[in-house]
């Protein structure tokens, strides 16, 4: 057999805890176990009818069957810009400050190719979403993990970043509401991040998929965002008319001096399988990402963009319904955990529960998850799969109805005791 030589950049991509968990689930299924899968953050809720209808109507239009170039995405870019303006009071130029993506993961993975030279550092959250690290590795960059600790509200401490690392750093990636910890960040934190990145000449990347999956408003956010001096009167009016419960990075950087934000329709609109999202922010960064994408792919099918336009501009009752559904699941799951003596804080956002493991599993999340699915059929994600600082935790995805979630907790109770 020919000895094929592969690029060194593939080495850090070989270790994948989630692939290992998939194998463990397969073993459990082969052994006849009924698997309750709480390991993947893929919404089980359907896309709204008006979204599906917009896609269906596109299928019979032969003009939608060819390649879709940038100019053909104008309607979607305008819808995205208007959505942001209504939600955050941020003016956005759809021509230069919006770029359609095949899901936000594609954007966060491709952007490092436009920012990093080999050996440059990216400052990433630890724990954090795996594709953020994957994109840096593909760009032959280095990663400096910013530890997220419970005592700091799962927010990074910028002052702890070593000066030599900062000197070689080119970008920082944030993501709040956060996967996996479910933490939220106030506007004051984002302002601190913007100032820090401006001072150190860093690109500030914010992955923002859980903007709508928020269950309560915080006093810190209300005081920070409603009183922001940067907002002009029209912007304040727009934000008050259609407020978000969590801030956009662009509210802390309204001039879009260093920032780019990624949004996906996977969570808010239950369109994960349609792979549609967008980048929004600094025009130079948008153009650089567009150059990378031009070398890799065309845009997705026009019908999917038509569905996304319907989602962003049409009735928003489905978003509110999804939030209500996940809040009910959160409450049921937390209550069930408390009943078995596993005291886990109640998260304010996302579709996840981030739980500190009890003894004797407190330093071996992978073994806990492997044995749990093997013995009970309950599959969850090990915290170590999200980074070194995730060790000692597991992540539950609330992708089933409360009765099944409660059965999962009952099985875990037997496993733990």
């Amino acid at each position: 057999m020919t000895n094929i030589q592969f690029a060194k950049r593939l080495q850090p991509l070989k270790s994948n805890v989630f692939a290992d968990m998939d194998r463990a689930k397969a073993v459990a299924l082969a052994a006849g176990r009924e698997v309750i899968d709480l390991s993947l953050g893929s919404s089980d809720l359907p896309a709204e009818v008006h979204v599906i209808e917009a896609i269906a109507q596109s299928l019979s239009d032969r003009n939608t069957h060819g390649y879709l170039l940038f100019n053909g995405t104008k309607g979607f870019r305008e819808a995205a810009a208007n959505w942001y303006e209504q939600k955050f009071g941020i003016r956005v130029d759809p021509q230069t400050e919006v770029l359609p993506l095949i899901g936000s993961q594609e954007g966060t993975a491709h952007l490092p190719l436009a920012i990093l030279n080999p050996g440059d550092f990216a400052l990433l959250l630890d724990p954090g979403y795996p594709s953020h690290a994957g994109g840096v590795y593909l760009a032959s960059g280095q990663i400096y993990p910013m530890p997220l600790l419970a005592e700091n509200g799962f927010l990074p401490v910028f002052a702890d970043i070593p000066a030599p690392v900062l000197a070689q750093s080119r970008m920082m990636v944030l993501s709040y509401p956060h996967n996996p910890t479910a933490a939220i960040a106030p506007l004051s934190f984002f302002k601190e991040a913007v100032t820090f990145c401006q001072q150190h000449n860093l690109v500030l990347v914010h992955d923002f998929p859980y903007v709508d999956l928020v269950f309560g408003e915080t006093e810190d956010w209300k005081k920070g965002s409603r009183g922001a001096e940067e907002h002009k009167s029209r912007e304040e009016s727009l934000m008050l008319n259609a407020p978000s419960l969590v801030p956009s990075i662009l509210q802390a950087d309204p001039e879009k001096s260093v920032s780019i934000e990624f949004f996906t329709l996977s969570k808010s609109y239950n369109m994960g399988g349609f792979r549609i999202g967008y980048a929004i922010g600094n025009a130079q960064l948008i153009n650089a990402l567009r150059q990378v994408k031009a070398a890799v792919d065309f845009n997705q099918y026009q019908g999917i963009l038509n569905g996304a336009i319907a989602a962003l501009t049409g009735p928003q009752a489905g978003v509110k319904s999804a939030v209500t559904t996940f809040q009910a699941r959160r409450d049921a799951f937390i209550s069930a955990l408390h009943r078995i003596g596993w005291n886990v804080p109640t998260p304010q956002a996302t579709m996840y529960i981030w739980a500190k493991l009890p003894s004797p599993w407190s330093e071996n999340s992978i073994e806990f998850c492997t044995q749990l699915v093997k013995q009970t059929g309950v599959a969850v994600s090990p915290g170590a799969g999200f980074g070194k600082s995730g060790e000692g935790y597991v992540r539950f995805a609330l992708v089933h109805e409360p009765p099944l979630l409660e059965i999962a907790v009952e099985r875990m109770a037997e496993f733990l005791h």
Side-chain angles (χ1 to χ4, degrees):
M1 184 176 177
T2 303
N3 184 20
I4 300 174
Q5 300 295 313
F6 291 99
K8 293 179 180 178
R9 67 175 61 90
L10 289 184
Q11 291 298 321
L13 303 179
K14 286 184 176 180
S15 177
N16 188 326
V17 171
F18 301 103
D20 295 340
M21 284 306 303
D22 274 345
R23 285 190 285 271
K25 283 184 282 186
V27 170
L29 285 168
R33 293 235 176 245
E34 177 196 9
V35 171
I36 302 177
D37 195 349
L38 308 181
S39 65
L40 295 178
S42 178
S43 175
D44 59 313
L45 304 179
E48 290 294 291
V49 172
H50 67 279
V51 173
I52 301 302
E53 287 179 347
I55 297 172
Q57 291 173 7
S58 302
L59 293 172
S60 60
D61 180 0
R62 61 185 297 176
N63 293 321
T64 69
H65 295 179
Y67 290 126
L68 181 63
L69 302 181
F70 182 76
N71 287 337
T73 69
K74 180 181 178 182
F76 173 73
R77 288 184 279 113
E78 290 176 343
N82 289 335
W83 187 87
Y84 249 77
E85 185 166 341
Q86 291 169 11
K87 204 170 192 71
F88 300 110
I90 300 294
R91 288 190 179 90
V92 176
D93 182 347
Q95 184 64 24
T96 62
E97 296 178 338
V98 183
L99 185 68
L101 298 171
I102 305 173
S104 62
Q105 179 168 326
E106 178 252 313
T108 57
H110 277 153
L111 185 64
L113 293 170
I115 303 299
L116 302 178
N117 289 313
D120 288 343
F121 271 98
L123 310 175
L124 304 187
L125 301 180
D126 175 21
Y129 191 59
S131 78
H132 298 163
V136 175
Y137 288 135
L138 289 176
S140 298
Q142 299 187 75
I143 290 173
Y144 179 80
M146 299 184 291
L148 305 184
L149 306 178
E151 54 262 38
N152 297 326
F154 296 110
L155 300 176
V157 178
F158 301 139
D160 290 346
I161 303 170
V165 171
L166 269 179
Q168 286 183 260
S169 297
R170 298 295 176 264
M171 63 188 292
M172 175 190 289
V173 181
L174 302 176
S175 183
Y176 291 95
H178 184 240
N179 177 14
T181 70
I184 60 175
L187 187 62
S188 57
F189 167 80
F190 285 121
K191 289 181 177 180
E192 180 187 353
V194 169
T195 299
F196 185 85
C197 289
Q198 289 171 335
Q199 291 173 342
H200 296 282
N201 197 28
L202 302 173
V203 171
L204 180 52
V205 181
H206 187 225
D207 197 6
F208 202 26
Y210 300 99
V211 53
D212 290 308
L213 292 186
V214 184
F215 310 122
E217 193 162 342
T218 66
E219 289 300 317
D220 193 4
W221 179 83
K222 283 193 290 185
K223 291 175 183 176
S225 66
R226 295 278 167 89
E229 295 179 358
E230 299 95 298
H231 294 177
K232 305 211 179 336
S233 59
R234 179 167 176 267
E235 293 172 331
E236 287 176 346
S237 174
L238 284 167
M239 193 172 71
L240 292 171
N241 287 338
S244 170
L245 298 183
V246 290
S248 160
I249 196 69
L250 300 183
Q251 289 174 260
D253 187 13
E255 301 303 320
K256 308 179 189 74
S257 62
V258 295
S259 305
I260 185 170
E261 193 156 67
F262 292 92
F263 177 72
T264 174
L265 280 76
S266 296
K267 311 301 181 182
S268 299
Y269 298 99
N270 305 315
M271 296 181 67
F274 295 95
R275 308 311 304 133
I276 176 66
Y278 57 84
I280 195 163
N282 178 279
Q284 290 178 295
L285 294 174
I286 292 291
N287 185 61
L289 182 55
R290 182 181 169 186
Q291 288 177 277
V292 173
K293 278 183 61 65
V296 176
D297 62 61
F298 288 104
N299 296 287
Q300 55 274 75
Y301 172 52
Q302 176 70 64
I304 292 176
L305 266 66
N306 290 342
I309 292 169
L312 294 172
T313 62
Q316 300 297 297
V319 179
K320 295 178 181 178
S321 176
V323 172
T324 300
T325 295
F326 283 113
Q327 182 169 357
R329 293 177 180 184
R330 176 203 66 175
D331 293 344
F333 194 75
I334 290 288
S335 294
L337 287 177
H338 288 179
R339 284 196 299 272
I340 69 170
W342 196 344
N343 293 317
V344 175
T346 302
Q348 293 177 278
T350 77
M351 58 200 299
Y352 307 114
I353 304 294
W354 186 241
K356 193 170 183 60
L357 282 167
S359 180
W361 306 99
S362 56
E363 294 300 324
N364 200 339
S365 59
I366 294 175
E367 183 66 15
F368 171 86
C369 293
T370 303
Q371 291 301 319
L372 181 68
V373 71
K374 180 181 179 180
Q375 296 183 35
T376 72
V378 177
V380 302
S381 292
F386 298 95
K388 182 180 178 181
S389 295
E391 183 56 279
Y393 290 84
V394 290
R395 190 198 72 176
F396 302 100
L398 303 174
V399 292
H400 295 289
E401 292 299 326
L404 198 56
L405 293 175
E406 291 174 354
I407 291 172
V409 174
E410 290 172 3
R411 293 186 187 179
M412 287 191 291
E414 296 175 4
F415 175 78
L416 289 170
H417 298 103

